[in-house]
Amino acid sequence: MDPDLPPLPADLATAVARFDEHLAVQRGHSAHTRRAYRADVTSLLRYAVRHGVNTLPAIDVGTLRGWLAAQADRGLARSTVARRGASARAFLRWAQRAGLVEGDPSVRLASPKLPRTLPTVLSPEAAARMLDTARDDAAAAEPDARPAALRAWAAAELLYGSGIRVGELAQVDVGDVDLGGRLVRVLGKGGKERVVPFGVPAGRAVTAWIEGGRPAFVRAGTDRALLLGNRGGRWGQRQVRDAVHRLARRAGVDDVAPHALRHSAATHLLQGGSDLRSVQEVLGHADLGTTQRYTHVDGERLRKVFVQAFPRA
């Protein structure tokens, strides 16, 4: 966001604050998601003010197109521009329902067509190599380094073994984990809670962490977070990402982010015979179409089913 852009008039700043409250209370969005919406909407409104548009009703489709064009001229990725356009649409739809504008100019704003990008997916062998490396590192670590190695092992196993998002993992508390039933309760997008199963290897890693790693990081005032940082606070998403990148390098596989472990879990579930609806529930997708992205790597299984089942194969 350009620092030389003018500040927002009071009524526009109030509208942004009310929209943020709507996202929190009515939509149940996380602080991270709300921060992204606020940044996008504030960018639009500051652009409008700079071009002489000082009230919400004065924003028209020309203002929206000019703002998005300015984003593209700055060299932002098409996906980023598309996301900002979606934020503007959500804000203006809300503004119309809230009675702040009579009409929604964003209905005339065309959505850019984005190329379908396929998620990064590890092979089952590469995923196993990463997780085996994490286990072996924990077993071989010196006593003072062992708690951190156990933490990285538990995080990687849970990300892959349950397919949860890195943000969901960071918010898991000790009480959310049922080691006997191998289940973890997470709070997903929109504040929706779901219970996700995980396998025996993840259960071993989490047990080893809780018993032999987590106590080393407990401090006065430490809460019930499952994963703790070096100072006793909740281990954040950035720290989880850094640990996964380091683990990929140690295992000698392609560099991946935590989300790739989620993508890999979904793909391997489908390859193993799980149906789309079950995978949708595990991943917490609101739309089945989102889950269908993972079928692109499962062509060989589909081909075998086709040959076995179709009389004209």
Side-chain angles (χ1 to χ4, degrees):
M1 193 175 299
D2 295 336
D4 59 337
L5 291 180
L8 293 180
D11 59 337
L12 294 184
T14 299
V16 174
R18 289 181 57 189
F19 179 58
D20 181 62
E21 183 180 8
H22 161 75
L23 295 176
V25 177
Q26 301 297 327
R27 302 293 299 276
H29 285 314
S30 67
H32 175 77
T33 299
R34 287 161 46 210
R35 185 163 54 248
Y37 271 111
R38 286 197 308 269
D40 293 342
V41 171
T42 300
S43 172
L44 164 64
L45 296 180
R46 285 187 170 171
Y47 172 89
V49 169
R50 191 175 68 174
H51 289 78
V53 180
N54 297 304
T55 65
L56 281 184
I59 293 178
D60 58 16
V61 69
T63 305
L64 293 171
R65 287 171 179 161
W67 171 62
L68 291 176
Q71 309 298 302
D73 289 345
R74 288 172 50 195
L76 298 181
R78 291 180 65 187
S79 58
T80 301
V81 176
R83 189 209 73 208
R84 293 190 170 184
S87 296
R89 289 185 181 88
F91 172 68
L92 291 168
R93 282 197 301 269
W94 166 82
Q96 184 180 33
R97 291 195 301 270
L100 301 181
V101 297
E102 290 187 4
D104 175 6
S106 70
V107 297
R108 298 173 54 200
L109 189 65
S111 299
K113 291 187 178 296
L114 297 176
R116 288 182 62 87
T117 57
L118 300 179
T120 300
V121 174
L122 293 171
S123 68
E125 295 75 19
R129 191 156 64 248
M130 273 189 71
L131 299 174
D132 288 347
T133 298
R135 179 200 61 204
D136 294 344
D137 284 351
E142 296 294 330
D144 60 340
R146 182 171 169 79
L150 287 171
R151 180 178 58 195
W153 180 31
E157 283 282 7
L158 268 181
L159 286 168
Y160 177 73
S162 64
I164 61 178
R165 302 176 178 92
V166 62
E168 294 169 344
L169 173 64
Q171 294 303 313
V172 170
D173 289 340
V174 173
D176 295 327
V177 180
D178 175 3
L179 289 171
R182 295 202 299 276
L183 299 169
V184 57
R185 182 174 63 248
V186 297
L187 195 63
K189 292 185 176 180
K192 295 180 180 178
E193 185 179 283
R194 70 185 190 282
V195 176
V196 185
F198 54 84
V200 172
R204 291 197 192 103
V206 174
T207 300
W209 157 249
I210 290 176
E211 295 179 354
R214 188 179 183 277
F217 295 113
V218 173
R219 303 288 186 272
T222 292
D223 64 16
R224 296 301 297 165
L226 174 65
L227 298 179
L228 297 178
N230 294 348
R231 297 182 179 180
R234 189 177 293 272
W235 213 34
Q237 296 184 44
R238 182 174 180 177
Q239 287 72 36
V240 177
R241 291 191 181 96
D242 289 344
V244 170
H245 286 306
R246 285 195 299 270
L247 184 56
R249 289 194 297 269
R250 290 272 302 133
V253 303
D254 291 340
D255 186 29
V256 292
H259 219 60
L261 294 178
R262 173 176 163 86
H263 294 323
S264 301
T267 301
H268 300 164
L269 278 169
L270 289 170
Q271 288 176 335
S274 294
D275 62 275
L276 273 174
R277 288 289 183 187
S278 298
V279 176
Q280 179 189 13
E281 288 188 26
V282 168
L283 298 182
H285 287 156
D287 182 1
L288 186 63
T290 306
T291 315
Q292 287 176 323
R293 293 183 303 164
Y294 300 106
T295 60
H296 76 282
V297 295
D298 210 17
E300 182 60 25
R301 183 176 71 87
L302 292 177
R303 188 190 67 78
K304 290 179 181 178
V305 171
F306 178 83
V307 170
Q308 293 172 1
F310 193 47
R312 300 291 290 177

